[in-house]
Structure formats: structure tokens, C-alpha cells
Amino acid sequence: MPTLPFRFLLVAVCAALCGMAAGIVMAASGDFTLAPAHAHLNLLGWVSMALYGLFYRAVPEASAGWLPKAHFWVATTGLVIMVPALGWLLLGHPGIEPVIGIGSLLTVAAMGMFGAVVLRSRQRVLGTSRPVPGSLGVVHLSSQTSS
Ligand code: HEM
Ligand code: HEM
């Protein structure tokens, strides 16, 4: 079973490969119709998912429980609904707009869940007397509380 950071980073790299390929196709064809879909595939898919993955890699104890797994699935589902639907809209199908709305709400919900995970991990860190190896957040916050 792949770890949570690995799963986030795998989705991020897939999104980057698709987003960059779309950028090259746009540049080569001179047709920038899909530019906003390209932008959000790269910014939500590559940048945001990679940041999520790197956070879970830096703070391993943050992956505990059901919330981080739910965060992964909500973020991934939002991405794979929102970006293709946005592309379809840009190709001249305004009827798809409600689907973009659903994808956007899932994407925002995922960020809210991430916010909860970050807050929760801070509480766990402050309640921990022993630094956890490999966790930047723990080392940093522990040194703050001990000074
Ligand atoms: C091989 C890599 C990439 C290529 C070939 C590429 C190509 C392009 C092209 C041709 C455009 C349209 C420019 C225009 O409308 O005048 C564009 C827009 C854009 N790209 Fe990329 N891109 C690449 C990677 C990325 C990455 C990694 C990101 C973000 C992390 C990104 C973010 C954006 C943004 C924000 C826009 C503006 C979209 C808009 O104005 O609607 N691109 N890119
Ligand atoms: C639920 C998430 C999001 C929604 C619903 C959303 C929606 C939008 C909308 C409606 C536009 C205007 C598009 C247009 O003028 O044609 C836009 C543009 C833009 N957004 Fe987002 N956005 C989201 C997340 C993000 C994130 C996370 C980033 C960056 C990390 C970002 C970066 C941009 C940029 C750079 C533009 C201007 C380029 C463009 O026109 O495509 N967005 N966004």
C-alpha cells in the first residue's frame, strides 16, 4: 500500500505531465483556448498536490487517522472533475458549468480538510515532549517551546 505522501506526489507528477504536454500542444498550435484549464491543471494538480505530499512527508505523524486519507480522495476527485469540465466549458459547452462547481467545491473542501490536518498536527506536536526524527515541524516547534 503506497504511503500518503507518495500517493499525493504521484497524482502531482501525473498532473504535471498532462499539464505540461497540454502547454506544449498549445504553444505548438498557437491555440490558447484551453489556457485556463492548463493553468489550473498545473496549479491545482501539480503545485497544490505536491505541496500536500511534501507536507505529509515532512510531518509523518500528520498522516494518522481517516482525515488525511479523506483529504487525498476529496482533493483528487475535485481535480479530476474540475479540470476536464473546465476544458469542456472552454471548448464551448456552457452546460457543464454545474459540474465545474461540484469540482471546485470538492477542491475547496480538500483545502479546508488540509487546514484541519495542519492545525491538528500542530496540537499533536505541541503535546509531544520528544522530537520525532524526520519531522521538520516537530523539531522547529519543540525548540520553540523549550526555549
Ligand atoms: C512544458 C511546460 C509548459 C508549457 C509548454 C506551457 C505553455 C503555456 C502556454 C502556451 C500558455 C498560454 C500563453 C498565452 O495564453 O499567451 C500558458 C499559460 C499559462 N501557464 Fe503554462 N506551460 C507550461 C507549464 C506550466 C506550469 C508548470 C505552470 C504552473 C505551475 C503553468 C502555468 C500557466 C499559467 C498560470 C498560464 C496562464 C493561463 C491564462 O492566462 O489563462 N504552466 N502556458
Ligand atoms: C477551487 C479552486 C479554484 C477555482 C474555482 C478557480 C477559479 C478561477 C477562475 C474563475 C478564474 C478566471 C478564469 C478566466 O478569467 O477565464 C481563475 C483564474 C486564475 N486562477 Fe484560479 N481557481 C481556483 C484555484 C486556483 C489556485 C489554487 C491557483 C494557484 C495556485 C489559481 C490560479 C489562477 C490563475 C494564475 C488565474 C489566471 C490565469 C487564468 O485566467 O487562467 N487558481 N481561477
Side-chain angles (χ1 to χ4, degrees):
M1 189 68 170
T3 63
L4 197 62
F6 178 84
R7 278 195 257 167
F8 270 112
L9 290 168
L10 193 64
V11 174
V13 170
C14 290
L17 289 173
C18 296
M20 289 176 181
I24 290 171
V25 171
M26 282 195 304
S29 66
D31 179 355
F32 304 141
T33 309
L34 289 175
H38 156 82
H40 289 85
L41 182 53
N42 278 314
L43 291 166
L44 283 170
W46 164 233
V47 180
S48 304
M49 298 296 270
L51 287 174
Y52 292 149
L54 292 175
F55 171 80
Y56 286 114
R57 178 79 84 208
V59 188
E61 66 275 18
S63 302
W66 62 270
L67 186 58
K69 280 95 188 160
H71 170 221
F72 171 79
W73 285 110
V74 173
T76 303
T77 308
L79 179 72
V80 299
I81 290 178
M82 184 180 147
V83 172
L86 177 58
W88 193 240
L89 175 87
L90 295 167
L91 291 173
H93 303 89
I96 198 76
E97 221 167 287
V99 180
I100 303 178
I102 293 169
S104 309
L105 290 175
L106 287 171
T107 301
V108 173
M111 186 56 79
M113 294 166 100
F114 182 58
V117 168
V118 170
L119 285 175
R120 189 186 70 164
S121 70
R122 183 174 177 277
Q123 281 163 1
R124 286 190 181 188
V125 166
L126 290 174
T128 307
S129 55
R130 181 174 58 88
V132 177
S135 167
L136 298 175
V138 170
V139 170
H140 176 67
L141 288 169
S142 302
S143 59
Q144 269 188 347
T145 50
S146 61
S147 62

